[in-house]
Amino acid sequence: RCGRRPHEEPCRAMADTDADQFKGRDARGLLPEDKAKTEAQARAFYLKLTPFFVFVLGPLLAAGLHGALVLSAPRQAAAVRAKLDLVRAYDLGYVYIAYALTFVGRVYATINANGARAPARVDRPDQHVYQIMAETGPLAGAPYVLMTTTGAAGRFNRAQRACANMDETLPLFLAGLLLQGLVFGPMAVAVAAAWLVGAVRFAEDYKADAGRRTSGLLLMVLANYASFGLVLDVAFQAFFMG
């Protein structure tokens, strides 16, 4: 029918273009069951990977940034020491510890969600699975309602998901940026600049193809953990270097 009327031609073209979004999915729209990890397997992977970012990479990035500031800008280094004295004088180290605990809580929630995603066989950019609630009748057992992934609608879905991903992480990132920026000054600008580059690349790559989002996301993650590491640096300096 699409080819019989001029205004219906796009219907055929769209059907041909969108056919590949069903490749590799079962009758209900989910990823293949034989390739799915269990929740325990997925959680184990992230529970092994995440401590490296939290306890190794973040502090190492912070140490490098702190050291670079001391070596390249002596006046800034003197200002940092003065600000750390104020943090100690007013017991503000507890604020930095509180932020770190909140950050780790958000990281755990991410591990929890990624673990649950694996056995659910839900691919990105989908964040939820909707079902038509029909126990009987022609809609009983209908495919799940998931995001379309091809054409203009698919590009919009991925672009919107990239935006939502930033919204989910931005509050904690901004809080950490402000906390460490109060002490380290220019380092906050450097971290924010790295995050900006990652964010732009992440948004554009995700819009084009969900599989290409990794490089931009990695740069955003590195900026986030660098900021987190600088917050830990302040807390450490406040409690153990006074």
Side-chain angles (χ1 to χ4, degrees):
R1 288 181 54 85
C2 291
R4 293 180 183 177
R5 299 176 185 176
H7 73 276
E8 291 179 333
E9 282 295 331
C11 177
R12 182 198 302 169
M14 185 174 292
D16 293 342
T17 302
D18 287 356
D20 64 349
Q21 73 177 324
F22 303 105
K23 185 178 179 180
R25 295 176 181 264
D26 66 13
R28 305 204 72 183
L30 302 179
L31 295 176
E33 188 172 7
D34 59 341
K35 296 181 180 179
K37 293 181 179 180
T38 65
E39 183 169 349
Q41 289 172 328
R43 284 175 64 93
F45 170 78
Y46 288 105
L47 285 170
K48 289 178 182 177
L49 179 65
T50 304
F52 169 77
F53 282 87
V54 174
F55 300 112
V56 179
L57 184 62
L60 282 177
L61 289 171
L65 290 170
H66 192 166
L69 183 66
V70 170
L71 293 174
S72 64
R75 291 182 61 184
Q76 284 293 335
V80 167
R81 289 192 294 271
K83 293 172 187 177
L84 287 171
D85 287 339
L86 285 175
V87 171
R88 297 185 194 102
Y90 291 96
D91 280 339
L92 297 178
Y94 292 106
V95 177
Y96 288 80
I97 292 293
Y99 168 82
L101 294 174
T102 305
F103 185 95
V104 172
R106 177 64 177 84
V107 169
Y108 176 80
T110 301
I111 294 172
N112 190 53
N114 285 335
R117 176 186 287 275
R121 298 182 284 135
V122 178
D123 200 7
R124 292 171 176 84
D126 284 292
Q127 301 299 305
H128 302 90
V129 180
Y130 298 94
Q131 181 176 1
I132 299 173
M133 302 303 290
E135 187 175 359
T136 59
L139 294 179
Y144 292 120
V145 179
L146 301 168
M147 289 186 183
T148 187
T149 58
T150 56
R155 284 172 62 82
F156 166 73
N157 282 337
R158 291 188 298 275
Q160 181 64 24
R161 177 56 206 149
C163 186
N165 183 282
M166 294 181 200
D167 290 344
E168 291 163 7
T169 57
L170 193 57
L172 266 179
F173 176 67
L174 280 178
L177 200 66
L178 290 172
L179 285 173
Q180 56 95 349
L182 290 173
V183 174
F184 292 108
M187 288 297 100
V189 178
V191 170
W195 186 91
L196 173 62
V197 173
V200 172
R201 183 164 184 175
F202 173 71
E204 289 293 338
D205 287 352
Y206 206 157
K207 180 178 68 174
D209 182 353
R212 288 170 47 188
R213 72 190 188 283
T214 307
S215 59
L217 178 61
L218 180 59
L219 188 52
M220 292 171 65
V221 168
L222 289 175
N224 207 353
Y225 277 96
S227 187
F228 170 72
L230 288 168
V231 170
L232 287 183
D233 189 1
V234 175
F236 179 81
Q237 298 278 345
F239 288 107
F240 300 107
M241 302 297 288

